[in-house]
Structure formats: C-alpha cells, structure tokens
Amino acid sequence: MLITLNKLHLNQKGIVKKINCDDKITRRLYDLGLLENTKIFPIFSSPFGDPVAYEFRGNIIAIRNDDASNILIEI
C-alpha cells in the first residue's frame, strides 16, 4: 500500500518509493542518503506536529510536512 511520508505514524516503518519534491529538496535528500527503497520511520514529532524527525540509514533528520507529503512510501 502506498501512502505519503507525512501519513506514516510514529515508529511505523516504510520504504521510500518515489520522491516528488522540488529539485533543490530532492537533491538535498539524495545527498543525505534518502533514496528509493530506503527504509524510513518517524521517531519524533514536534509539539505542533511539524516538522517530524525521521530515521533512515543511521541518520535522523527533520522533514517538514509540506515536503513529506511529496514522498511516497510503501508500508
């Protein structure tokens, strides 16, 4: 089942299938190691729910919900 990254619940694991962000954000995510078929899961949400911290490949980064809504995940 495909959903967007921002719909993934805390500690629910998913696999990145497609990144549809603008070129600048996509390049930055690729540089950080967030590629297709990478396992990812949210580990912490800020008090207002935006941004959310995600863990993948031993990295933890915060991604805004606007950008997370453009990343397709398979659960």
Side-chain angles (χ1 to χ4, degrees), residues 32-66:
L32 292 168
L34 187 64
L35 307 168
E36 285 79 10
N37 296 316
T38 300
K39 293 178 185 176
I40 188 171
F41 60 97
I43 59 170
F44 182 77
S45 178
S46 66
F48 295 108
D50 190 23
V52 174
Y54 295 92
E55 183 174 344
F56 61 92
R57 297 185 187 223
N59 298 313
I60 298 174
I61 65 165
I63 301 176
R64 292 177 289 168
N65 286 336
D66 288 344

Side-chain angles (χ1 to χ4, degrees), residues 2-15:
L2 290 177
I3 62 171
T4 57
L5 182 59
N6 63 323
K7 303 287 186 201
L8 208 58
H9 299 292
L10 289 179
N11 298 313
Q12 180 183 13
K13 295 184 181 187
I15 299 173

